Amino acid sequence: MKHFTSIKQLGNLEEALKDAALVKSNPFGHQELGKNRTCLLVFFDNSLRTRLSTQKAALNLGMNVIVLDVNQGAWKLETERGVIMDGDKSEHLLEAIPVMGCYCDIIGVRSFARFESREDDYNEVILNQFINYSGRPVFSMEAATRHPLQTFADIITIEEHKTKPRPKVVMTWAPHPKALPQAVPNSFAEGMAMGNYDFVIANPEGYDLNPAFTKGIPVLHNQDEALEGADFVYAKNWASYEHYGQVLSRDRSWTVTKEKMALTNDAFFLHCLPVRRNMIVSDEVIESPRSLVIPEAANRVVSAQTVIQKILESL
Ligand code: CP
Protein backbone atom coordinates (compact mmCIF):
# COMPACT_ATOMS: atom_id res chain seq x y z
CA MET A 1 0.00 0.00 0.00
CA LYS A 2 1.47 3.37 -1.05
CA HIS A 3 -1.04 5.86 0.37
CA PHE A 4 -4.04 5.30 2.65
CA THR A 5 -6.84 7.80 2.29
CA SER A 6 -9.93 5.57 2.05
CA ILE A 7 -11.00 2.31 3.70
CA LYS A 8 -11.40 0.90 0.17
CA GLN A 9 -7.59 0.85 -0.16
CA LEU A 10 -7.54 -2.06 2.31
CA GLY A 11 -8.87 -4.17 -0.56
CA ASN A 12 -10.52 -7.37 0.68
CA LEU A 13 -12.06 -6.53 4.06
CA GLU A 14 -12.01 -10.12 5.32
CA GLU A 15 -8.26 -10.36 4.65
CA ALA A 16 -7.64 -6.97 6.29
CA LEU A 17 -9.58 -8.09 9.37
CA LYS A 18 -7.40 -11.22 9.57
CA ASP A 19 -4.30 -8.98 9.37
CA ALA A 20 -5.72 -6.81 12.13
CA ALA A 21 -6.37 -9.85 14.33
CA LEU A 22 -2.72 -10.90 13.88
CA VAL A 23 -1.56 -7.40 14.82
CA LYS A 24 -3.79 -7.46 17.91
CA SER A 25 -2.55 -10.87 19.06
CA ASN A 26 1.13 -10.02 18.51
CA PRO A 27 1.59 -6.23 18.60
CA PHE A 28 5.39 -6.27 18.80
CA GLY A 29 5.97 -9.00 16.22
CA HIS A 30 7.17 -6.74 13.38
CA GLN A 31 9.49 -4.25 15.05
CA GLU A 32 12.17 -4.90 12.42
CA LEU A 33 9.90 -3.23 9.83
CA GLY A 34 10.07 0.15 11.55
CA LYS A 35 13.66 0.06 12.80
CA ASN A 36 15.51 3.28 11.85
CA ARG A 37 12.43 4.63 10.14
CA THR A 38 10.55 7.77 11.15
CA CYS A 39 6.82 8.39 11.14
CA LEU A 40 5.80 12.07 11.04
CA LEU A 41 2.28 12.89 12.24
CA VAL A 42 1.02 16.31 11.14
CA PHE A 43 -2.04 17.77 12.84
CA PHE A 44 -3.94 20.77 11.49
CA ASP A 45 -6.61 20.16 14.15
CA ASN A 46 -7.08 18.86 17.67
CA SER A 47 -7.01 15.17 18.43
CA LEU A 48 -6.80 12.83 21.39
CA ARG A 49 -7.40 9.30 20.05
CA THR A 50 -5.75 9.65 16.66
CA ARG A 51 -2.71 11.38 18.13
CA LEU A 52 -2.11 8.76 20.82
CA SER A 53 -3.22 5.61 19.00
CA THR A 54 -1.20 6.36 15.86
CA GLN A 55 1.92 7.15 17.88
CA LYS A 56 1.44 3.91 19.82
CA ALA A 57 0.95 1.97 16.59
CA ALA A 58 4.16 3.35 15.07
CA LEU A 59 6.09 2.71 18.29
CA ASN A 60 4.81 -0.88 18.37
CA LEU A 61 6.32 -1.26 14.90
CA GLY A 62 9.70 -0.05 16.13
CA MET A 63 9.47 3.36 14.45
CA ASN A 64 10.63 6.75 15.65
CA VAL A 65 7.76 9.22 15.81
CA ILE A 66 7.68 13.01 15.34
CA VAL A 67 4.47 14.97 15.93
CA LEU A 68 3.91 18.42 14.42
CA ASP A 69 0.97 20.58 15.45
CA VAL A 70 0.85 23.01 12.57
CA ASN A 71 -1.14 25.62 14.48
CA GLN A 72 0.98 25.48 17.63
CA GLY A 73 4.67 26.20 17.25
CA ALA A 74 5.09 25.98 13.46
CA TRP A 75 4.92 28.92 11.04
CA LYS A 76 1.41 29.75 9.92
CA LEU A 77 0.94 28.08 6.54
CA GLU A 78 -0.61 29.44 3.36
CA THR A 79 -2.44 26.75 1.42
CA GLU A 80 -3.65 28.62 -1.69
CA ARG A 81 -1.30 28.95 -4.66
CA GLY A 82 -1.06 32.44 -6.20
CA VAL A 83 -1.78 34.33 -2.97
CA ILE A 84 0.39 37.42 -2.30
CA MET A 85 1.73 36.44 1.09
CA ASP A 86 1.65 39.84 2.79
CA GLY A 87 -0.54 38.68 5.69
CA ASP A 88 0.12 36.64 8.82
CA LYS A 89 1.14 33.42 7.02
CA SER A 90 4.94 33.09 6.88
CA GLU A 91 5.35 29.88 4.90
CA HIS A 92 3.62 28.14 2.02
CA LEU A 93 2.55 24.50 2.21
CA LEU A 94 4.31 23.95 -1.12
CA GLU A 95 7.70 24.44 0.60
CA ALA A 96 6.69 23.13 4.02
CA ILE A 97 5.46 19.77 2.72
CA PRO A 98 8.63 18.69 0.85
CA VAL A 99 10.69 19.91 3.81
CA MET A 100 8.62 17.67 6.12
CA GLY A 101 9.23 14.82 3.69
CA CYS A 102 13.01 15.26 4.21
CA TYR A 103 12.67 14.36 7.87
CA CYS A 104 10.66 11.15 7.75
CA ASP A 105 9.79 7.95 5.87
CA ILE A 106 6.00 8.10 6.11
CA ILE A 107 3.56 10.90 6.95
CA GLY A 108 0.16 10.85 8.67
CA VAL A 109 -1.99 13.93 8.09
CA ARG A 110 -5.06 15.22 9.88
CA SER A 111 -6.52 17.99 7.78
CA PHE A 112 -10.30 18.16 8.53
CA ALA A 113 -13.03 19.98 6.60
CA ARG A 114 -12.80 23.75 6.67
CA PHE A 115 -16.38 24.37 5.49
CA GLU A 116 -15.21 27.34 3.41
CA SER A 117 -15.88 25.57 0.13
CA ARG A 118 -17.57 22.21 -0.45
CA GLU A 119 -15.56 21.80 -3.62
CA ASP A 120 -12.21 22.34 -1.86
CA ASP A 121 -13.16 20.04 1.01
CA TYR A 122 -14.38 17.26 -1.30
CA ASN A 123 -11.27 17.66 -3.49
CA GLU A 124 -9.16 17.06 -0.35
CA VAL A 125 -6.86 19.94 -1.27
CA ILE A 126 -4.51 19.68 1.73
CA LEU A 127 -4.24 15.89 1.86
CA ASN A 128 -3.55 15.75 -1.87
CA GLN A 129 -0.81 18.37 -1.56
CA PHE A 130 0.93 16.05 0.91
CA ILE A 131 0.54 13.15 -1.51
CA ASN A 132 1.81 15.21 -4.45
CA TYR A 133 4.69 17.11 -2.83
CA SER A 134 6.03 15.18 0.19
CA GLY A 135 7.68 12.37 -1.77
CA ARG A 136 6.53 10.00 1.00
CA PRO A 137 3.69 7.56 1.55
CA VAL A 138 0.85 9.48 3.18
CA PHE A 139 -1.93 8.13 5.35
CA SER A 140 -5.01 10.02 6.41
CA MET A 141 -5.61 10.57 10.11
CA GLU A 142 -8.97 12.12 9.13
CA ALA A 143 -9.25 14.41 6.19
CA ALA A 144 -12.07 16.63 5.01
CA THR A 145 -14.27 13.83 3.68
CA ARG A 146 -13.07 10.52 5.15
CA HIS A 147 -11.71 9.06 8.41
CA PRO A 148 -10.63 5.59 7.30
CA LEU A 149 -8.54 4.66 10.37
CA GLN A 150 -11.64 5.29 12.49
CA THR A 151 -13.83 3.22 10.17
CA PHE A 152 -11.43 0.29 10.24
CA ALA A 153 -11.42 0.38 14.07
CA ASP A 154 -15.24 0.56 14.03
CA ILE A 155 -15.50 -2.49 11.80
CA ILE A 156 -12.94 -4.46 13.84
CA THR A 157 -15.08 -3.71 16.92
CA ILE A 158 -18.33 -4.75 15.23
CA GLU A 159 -16.72 -7.99 14.02
CA GLU A 160 -15.50 -8.76 17.54
CA HIS A 161 -19.01 -8.36 18.99
CA LYS A 162 -21.42 -9.53 16.31
CA THR A 163 -23.47 -12.66 17.07
CA LYS A 164 -24.89 -13.28 13.59
CA PRO A 165 -23.32 -13.37 10.12
CA ARG A 166 -25.22 -10.28 8.86
CA PRO A 167 -25.97 -7.88 11.72
CA LYS A 168 -28.21 -4.86 11.31
CA VAL A 169 -26.11 -1.72 11.75
CA VAL A 170 -27.82 1.66 12.01
CA MET A 171 -25.83 4.86 11.68
CA THR A 172 -27.94 7.63 13.14
CA TRP A 173 -27.44 11.38 13.03
CA ALA A 174 -27.70 12.96 16.50
CA PRO A 175 -27.70 16.61 17.55
CA HIS A 176 -24.60 18.69 18.30
CA PRO A 177 -24.16 22.41 18.92
CA LYS A 178 -21.47 22.91 16.28
CA ALA A 179 -21.01 22.11 12.59
CA LEU A 180 -19.08 18.85 12.29
CA PRO A 181 -17.57 17.32 9.12
CA GLN A 182 -19.05 14.40 7.19
CA ALA A 183 -15.76 12.48 7.25
CA VAL A 184 -16.73 9.87 9.83
CA PRO A 185 -20.19 9.06 8.42
CA ASN A 186 -18.92 9.08 4.81
CA SER A 187 -16.16 6.65 5.68
CA PHE A 188 -18.39 4.46 7.81
CA ALA A 189 -20.85 4.15 4.92
CA GLU A 190 -17.95 3.24 2.62
CA GLY A 191 -16.74 0.59 5.07
CA MET A 192 -20.20 -0.91 5.60
CA ALA A 193 -20.52 -1.42 1.84
CA MET A 194 -17.38 -3.58 1.91
CA GLY A 195 -18.77 -6.17 4.34
CA ASN A 196 -21.82 -8.29 5.04
CA TYR A 197 -23.99 -5.81 6.92
CA ASP A 198 -27.66 -4.88 6.84
CA PHE A 199 -26.79 -1.20 6.93
CA VAL A 200 -29.27 1.66 7.34
CA ILE A 201 -28.71 5.40 7.78
CA ALA A 202 -31.11 7.57 9.78
CA ASN A 203 -30.97 11.34 9.57
CA PRO A 204 -33.39 14.28 9.56
CA GLU A 205 -34.46 15.93 6.31
CA GLY A 206 -31.67 18.18 5.02
CA TYR A 207 -28.92 15.96 6.41
CA ASP A 208 -28.61 13.39 3.61
CA LEU A 209 -24.94 12.68 3.01
CA ASN A 210 -23.18 13.04 -0.34
CA PRO A 211 -24.95 10.49 -2.58
CA ALA A 212 -21.53 9.25 -3.77
CA PHE A 213 -21.14 7.65 -0.33
CA THR A 214 -24.70 6.39 0.18
CA LYS A 215 -25.55 4.82 -3.18
CA GLY A 216 -27.74 1.74 -2.58
CA ILE A 217 -27.98 2.33 1.20
CA PRO A 218 -31.45 2.86 2.71
CA VAL A 219 -31.70 6.37 4.22
CA LEU A 220 -34.63 6.88 6.60
CA HIS A 221 -35.79 10.19 8.01
CA ASN A 222 -37.58 8.41 10.85
CA GLN A 223 -35.06 7.38 13.50
CA ASP A 224 -37.44 5.09 15.44
CA GLU A 225 -38.23 3.12 12.31
CA ALA A 226 -34.54 2.77 11.47
CA LEU A 227 -33.61 1.58 14.96
CA GLU A 228 -36.10 -1.30 14.99
CA GLY A 229 -34.21 -4.58 15.34
CA ALA A 230 -30.75 -2.97 15.15
CA ASP A 231 -27.82 -5.02 16.46
CA PHE A 232 -25.45 -2.02 16.44
CA VAL A 233 -26.25 1.68 16.75
CA TYR A 234 -23.55 4.01 15.46
CA ALA A 235 -24.33 7.58 16.49
CA LYS A 236 -22.71 10.60 14.89
CA ASN A 237 -23.44 14.20 14.17
CA TRP A 238 -22.65 15.82 10.86
CA ALA A 239 -23.40 19.19 9.32
CA SER A 240 -25.58 19.43 6.24
CA TYR A 241 -24.04 18.36 2.92
CA GLU A 242 -26.75 19.99 0.81
CA HIS A 243 -26.60 23.31 2.70
CA TYR A 244 -22.92 22.77 3.09
CA GLY A 245 -21.56 23.11 6.61
CA GLN A 246 -24.80 24.44 8.09
CA VAL A 247 -26.42 23.30 11.33
CA LEU A 248 -30.09 22.95 10.37
CA SER A 249 -31.31 21.23 13.53
CA ARG A 250 -30.38 20.61 17.14
CA ASP A 251 -33.47 18.45 17.68
CA ARG A 252 -32.84 16.49 20.85
CA SER A 253 -35.55 13.98 19.98
CA TRP A 254 -32.70 12.42 17.91
CA THR A 255 -30.46 11.94 20.99
CA VAL A 256 -29.76 8.24 21.54
CA THR A 257 -31.49 7.47 24.85
CA LYS A 258 -32.48 4.34 26.75
CA GLU A 259 -35.94 4.61 25.18
CA LYS A 260 -34.41 4.69 21.68
CA MET A 261 -32.16 1.71 22.45
CA ALA A 262 -35.26 -0.19 23.64
CA LEU A 263 -36.42 -0.22 20.00
CA THR A 264 -33.36 -2.24 18.99
CA ASN A 265 -32.35 -5.87 19.30
CA ASP A 266 -30.46 -5.06 22.54
CA ALA A 267 -27.98 -3.27 20.30
CA PHE A 268 -24.42 -2.35 21.06
CA PHE A 269 -23.72 1.38 21.02
CA LEU A 270 -20.79 2.86 19.08
CA HIS A 271 -19.42 6.37 18.69
CA CYS A 272 -16.01 7.46 17.45
CA LEU A 273 -15.54 9.98 20.33
CA PRO A 274 -15.22 12.72 21.41
CA VAL A 275 -18.92 12.73 22.20
CA ARG A 276 -21.22 15.37 23.66
CA ARG A 277 -23.17 13.56 26.37
CA ASN A 278 -26.92 14.21 26.48
CA MET A 279 -26.74 15.80 23.04
CA ILE A 280 -25.58 12.77 21.00
CA VAL A 281 -26.16 10.07 23.63
CA SER A 282 -27.54 9.92 27.15
CA ASP A 283 -25.30 9.16 30.13
CA GLU A 284 -27.20 5.91 30.69
CA VAL A 285 -26.57 4.58 27.19
CA ILE A 286 -22.88 5.46 26.96
CA GLU A 287 -22.26 4.04 30.44
CA SER A 288 -24.28 0.86 29.81
CA PRO A 289 -22.69 -2.58 29.37
CA ARG A 290 -23.75 -2.43 25.68
CA SER A 291 -21.59 0.63 25.03
CA LEU A 292 -18.48 -0.23 23.00
CA VAL A 293 -16.93 3.22 22.85
CA ILE A 294 -13.83 2.26 24.85
CA PRO A 295 -12.99 -1.00 23.00
CA GLU A 296 -13.68 0.92 19.78
CA ALA A 297 -11.12 3.59 20.78
CA ALA A 298 -8.66 0.85 21.83
CA ASN A 299 -8.97 -0.68 18.37
CA ARG A 300 -7.67 2.56 16.87
CA VAL A 301 -4.17 1.27 17.68
CA VAL A 302 -4.87 -2.00 15.85
CA SER A 303 -6.32 -0.17 12.89
CA ALA A 304 -3.40 2.27 12.59
CA GLN A 305 -0.79 -0.43 13.16
CA THR A 306 -2.28 -2.68 10.47
CA VAL A 307 -2.24 0.19 7.97
CA ILE A 308 1.26 1.46 8.84
CA GLN A 309 2.58 -2.12 8.64
CA LYS A 310 1.14 -2.48 5.13
CA ILE A 311 2.82 0.80 4.11
CA LEU A 312 6.17 -0.23 5.61
CA GLU A 313 5.99 -3.57 3.82
CA SER A 314 5.70 -1.71 0.52
CA LEU A 315 8.70 0.64 1.06
N1 CP B 1 -12.19 9.63 16.88
C1 CP B 1 -11.16 10.47 16.72
O1 CP B 1 -10.58 10.58 15.62
O2 CP B 1 -10.78 11.13 17.85
P1 CP B 1 -9.76 12.34 17.91
O3 CP B 1 -10.38 13.48 17.15
O4 CP B 1 -9.59 12.65 19.38
O5 CP B 1 -8.48 11.91 17.27
Side-chain angles (χ1 to χ4, degrees), residues 259-277:
E259 291 71 29
K260 296 280 182 179
M261 292 300 279
L263 300 169
T264 70
N265 180 29
D266 195 19
F268 287 107
F269 176 81
L270 294 134
H271 187 281
C272 62
L273 304 181
V275 73
R276 298 263 184 157
R277 281 179 174 224

Side-chain angles (χ1 to χ4, degrees), residues 36-308:
N36 296 331
R37 294 198 193 270
T38 299
C39 180
L40 171 63
L41 306 180
V42 182
F43 287 89
F44 287 80
D45 291 284
N46 297 334
S47 164
L48 187 154
R49 278 143 293 276
T50 306
R51 174 184 300 267
L52 298 182
S53 64
T54 314
Q55 285 188 64
K56 174 71 175 136
L59 292 168
N60 285 355
L61 285 163
M63 301 191 82
N64 301 308
V65 183
I66 305 173
V67 180
L68 177 68
D69 287 295
V70 169
N71 296 320
Q72 293 166 24
W75 301 110
K76 274 197 170 179
L77 294 176
E78 178 57 64
T79 57
E80 301 294 322
R81 195 167 172 280
V83 167
I84 298 169
M85 289 175 58
D86 60 355
D88 63 340
K89 292 174 180 161
S90 306
E91 180 154 23
H92 203 288
L93 259 183
L94 293 176
E95 285 78 55
I97 289 173
V99 168
M100 291 182 211
C102 296
Y103 306 145
C104 64
D105 299 281
I106 66 172
I107 305 182
V109 180
R110 167 165 284 200
S111 52
F112 243 50
R114 292 195 283 186
F115 287 139
E116 288 165 10
S117 149
R118 187 166 90 176
E119 194 184 347
D120 280 359
D121 283 347
Y122 272 77
N123 283 333
E124 293 290 5
V125 171
I126 292 183
L127 184 66
N128 283 323
Q129 283 181 335
F130 274 87
I131 288 171
N132 291 332
Y133 302 115
S134 70
R136 300 293 177 206
V138 172
F139 62 96
S140 166
M141 299 193 296
E142 185 172 0
T145 62
R146 290 178 174 90
H147 194 354
L149 289 178
Q150 179 65 53
T151 301
F152 193 27
D154 298 336
I155 293 177
I156 293 167
T157 311
I158 289 171
E159 288 296 313
E160 287 173 343
H161 290 85
K162 73 179 189 186
T163 55
K164 57 174 79 155
R166 186 176 167 83
K168 178 173 178 181
V169 181
V170 178
M171 177 170 74
T172 180
W173 180 94
H176 192 282
K178 290 185 175 171
L180 296 188
Q182 292 121 24
V184 168
N186 284 345
S187 254
F188 191 69
E190 241 176 12
M192 285 291 101
M194 291 167 65
N196 189 22
Y197 306 107
D198 175 11
F199 180 53
V200 175
I201 300 174
N203 57 255
E205 301 271 2
Y207 278 99
D208 287 3
L209 292 164
N210 180 343
F213 290 89
T214 57
K215 195 162 173 260
I217 298 168
V219 177
L220 303 185
H221 296 141
N222 181 326
Q223 189 190 43
D224 290 0
E225 191 188 326
L227 290 174
E228 269 172 35
D231 300 299
F232 293 88
V233 174
Y234 192 97
K236 185 70 186 87
N237 174 269
W238 59 89
S240 175
Y241 173 74
E242 186 185 345
H243 304 282
Y244 191 62
Q246 289 183 30
V247 175
L248 307 176
S249 166
R250 294 184 179 87
D251 180 357
R252 287 184 47 215
S253 73
W254 281 74
T255 300
V256 179
T257 58
K258 200 174 73 171
E259 291 71 29
K260 296 280 182 179
M261 292 300 279
L263 300 169
T264 70
N265 180 29
D266 195 19
F268 287 107
F269 176 81
L270 294 134
H271 187 281
C272 62
L273 304 181
V275 73
R276 298 263 184 157
R277 281 179 174 224
N278 303 309
M279 286 293 292
I280 301 270
V281 58
S282 69
D283 290 322
E284 288 172 313
V285 171
I286 197 165
E287 291 170 4
S288 81
R290 304 302 278 176
S291 171
L292 295 179
V293 296
I294 306 304
E296 185 182 0
N299 277 332
R300 289 293 306 274
V301 177
V302 183
S303 162
Q305 192 170 332
T306 307
V307 167
I308 295 172

